[in-house]
Structures are given as C-alpha cells and as structure tokens.
Amino acid sequence: MSAEISEVAAVLEARGRISLHRRLASHGSWWVLGAFVLLAIIGPHITPYNPNKISVGPPLTGPSSSHWFGTDELGRDEFSRVIVAIRVAVIVAIASVGIALVIGGVLGILAGYARRGVDGTISRALDVVFAFPELILAIILVASLGASLWTAIIAIAIVYVPRFARVARTATLSVEGRPYIEAARLASANHPRIVARHVLPNIRTPLIVMTALSMSTAQLSYAALSYLGFGARPPQADFGSMLNDSQNFVTFAPWLVAFPGGVLVILIVALNLFGDSLRDALDPHFERPS
C-alpha cells in the first residue's frame, strides 16, 4: 500500500512539474529574456562593426541600411554598441543578484537557524545597511573601490544582500521548528546536513522569486550608476553611459536616446514580467491586489 501511495505521489509531482514548465514556457517574457541572453552570448561575434571603433560612418547619422540605429557623435555604429550593451546588462543582472543571493542566503539561514546571539548580530548588521538608500550606498561603495564594471556589480550585490538575508531568515524561521527538522535532530544529523537536506529545499521558492524580481531593479541601479559615471570605463558601451553621452544631442539626434533607452526599457519590463510569472507559478497562494 505504501509503495502505491509513493508511486501516485511521484506521478502527481511529475505532472506538477510538467504543468509548471508549460505555464512558464507560455509566458512571453521568457522568450524575450531568452533572446536577450542569446544576444549576450553571441552578440559580440555578430556585430556589423567594432563597437568602439570611431568614424565607421559619418557622425550623428540617422538610421539607415548601413547603420540600423544610426551613428553617435564619434561616428561609432549605434547598433553594434547596443548589442554589446545587452551583454553588459545581462552580466550585471546575473552576477550582482547571484552574489547577493549566495551571501544573503547564507547569512539569513545562519540567522534563522542558529538564533540567539548570531541572529541578533546579523540582524543588526543588516539594519545598518538598510539604513542607507540603496543607490546612495552603491555610489559610496563604487567611489571607494574605484569605478569599473565589476566594482559596480560588487556594490550592487552588497546593497542587495540584506533583502535576500531577510527573506532567507524569515523562511528559515518558518521551517526551523517543523517536525521533520526535529526528527533529523533526534536522528543525530549534524547541522550542515539538516540545513542542506531539510532547510534549504523548503526555503528555495521565496529565494528564487526574490532573485527573479531583483534582477530588474539591479539592472536599473546599474544603469543609474553608469549614467552618473560609476559604471564600465569608456569606451565600453553600456546603456547608462550611452544615455549620458547622448543627452547633448537629443534634440537633433533622438535615435541616440531612443534605441538604447528603448532596449533598456524592454529588458527591465521583461525582467519584471519574468519575476511576476515565476512568483505566480511557484506560489499558488499569492493573490494580486485588485
């Protein structure tokens, strides 16, 4: 009888995974993000021009068959630079949020599982970081470390660590007293084993959802840092620096703002929709406000 029950449970779980995959695959944001990731991988190899080479065409030339997105004030091909900027945007979103997930997740699980003084120490440290506006703290960190792509990524990751730590801590506290945790302790399982086999699998859903939702805000934060001059160093193309460079030409060369700005908006909207679809799929109890 128990074997039959286990078999039925396995079948239902498999059907649930298939249904989840189908729901996610049917959401348009996944296809858009897939296109962005593909461009991030192969984009630098398919650009029609060297994105950093000047005078590949007349400066400030509008879109044409030779230069699909026109050229900038130095005669660089805008389409090639947008493609390269997509690669930077994808790297920033994945790297900064990934680092924050790992560090914040470890701190949150440690705080929620260990309790007592460890929880208090970690929570107070996170409160200090939370006391600063995220963008201001990121600017301070980048200014201290030196402006570059990777220092900006590290700064964004540090700023985002508390949000992941809070989610991990809350989720850990909700499962830490469950019967299966107590059973593992009675079975003399060590703490790393309990965390790896019983805590982490049961708190992964909120962490995955937070990861997806944080990617759009991380990219927006990086665009702001880059616009202010705290991102990748010239002549590396990214959306923030491209928008900054084009602000003096917006009245008579609007394509310099329209194309990189439009692609950035599409990426951020797709990331937001991606996070929403993932949350809806993984958390069936979530209700949208009417």
Side-chain angles (χ1 to χ4, degrees):
M1 185 70 176
S2 60
E4 293 177 355
I5 293 175
S6 299
E7 183 178 352
V8 171
V11 171
L12 291 175
E13 183 180 357
R15 288 180 177 177
R17 286 198 299 266
I18 293 172
S19 176
L20 172 62
H21 293 159
R22 285 176 178 173
R23 289 200 304 270
L24 294 177
S26 65
H27 203 281
S29 64
W30 287 72
W31 296 100
V32 174
L33 284 181
F36 273 107
V37 172
L38 181 62
L39 284 174
I41 296 172
I42 68 172
H45 305 291
I46 63 172
T47 53
Y49 300 93
N50 183 332
N52 298 325
K53 186 176 181 180
I54 64 175
S55 300
V56 297
L60 300 177
T61 300
S64 64
S65 58
S66 300
H67 304 283
W68 293 354
F69 288 0
T71 60
D72 64 8
E73 72 279 9
L74 298 177
R76 296 175 295 192
D77 182 64
E78 193 74 357
F79 177 75
S80 299
R81 292 179 65 75
V82 168
I83 295 297
V84 173
I86 290 174
R87 180 186 181 91
V88 174
V90 172
I91 290 173
V92 168
I94 294 175
S96 61
V97 175
I99 294 170
L101 168 64
V102 172
I103 298 175
V106 170
L107 290 176
I109 292 172
L110 186 60
Y113 186 81
R115 304 269 189 103
R116 298 189 181 90
V118 175
D119 184 15
T121 301
I122 293 176
S123 296
R124 298 295 80 76
L126 296 176
D127 288 341
V128 172
V129 179
F130 262 126
F132 292 88
E134 289 185 345
L135 185 59
I136 299 299
L137 180 56
I139 291 174
I140 293 173
L141 291 172
V142 174
S144 302
L145 298 172
S148 71
L149 173 61
W150 283 102
T151 53
I153 288 174
I154 292 171
I156 294 171
I158 292 173
V159 169
Y160 278 34
V161 161
R163 62 171 68 184
F164 284 96
R166 287 284 179 90
V167 170
R169 175 183 178 275
T170 302
T172 301
L173 288 173
S174 69
V175 304
E176 194 267 339
R178 298 287 177 86
Y180 52 82
I181 301 291
E182 297 299 329
R185 286 172 176 161
L186 291 174
S188 300
N190 56 36
H191 295 306
R193 182 180 178 85
I194 293 174
V195 171
R197 296 198 61 180
H198 301 289
V199 176
L200 190 57
N202 289 286
I203 68 170
R204 63 186 178 186
T205 295
L207 288 175
I208 291 172
V209 173
M210 176 59 72
T211 299
L213 293 174
S214 296
M215 284 187 177
S216 61
T217 54
Q219 177 51 44
L220 196 59
S221 296
Y222 176 75
L225 287 174
S226 179
Y227 182 85
L228 295 173
F230 295 107
R233 294 290 82 196
Q236 173 67 55
D238 62 27
F239 291 120
S241 62
M242 292 172 70
L243 292 173
N244 180 282
D245 293 340
S246 64
Q247 62 184 347
N248 295 326
F249 311 101
V250 64
T251 54
F252 53 89
W255 58 87
L256 295 180
V257 174
F259 289 117
V263 173
L264 177 61
V265 168
I266 293 172
L267 174 59
I268 291 175
V269 170
L271 286 169
N272 275 320
L273 294 177
F274 163 74
D276 288 342
S277 67
L278 196 60
R279 177 184 58 197
D280 294 343
L282 294 176
D283 186 4
H285 303 293
F286 176 79
E287 295 184 0
R288 293 182 179 277
S290 56

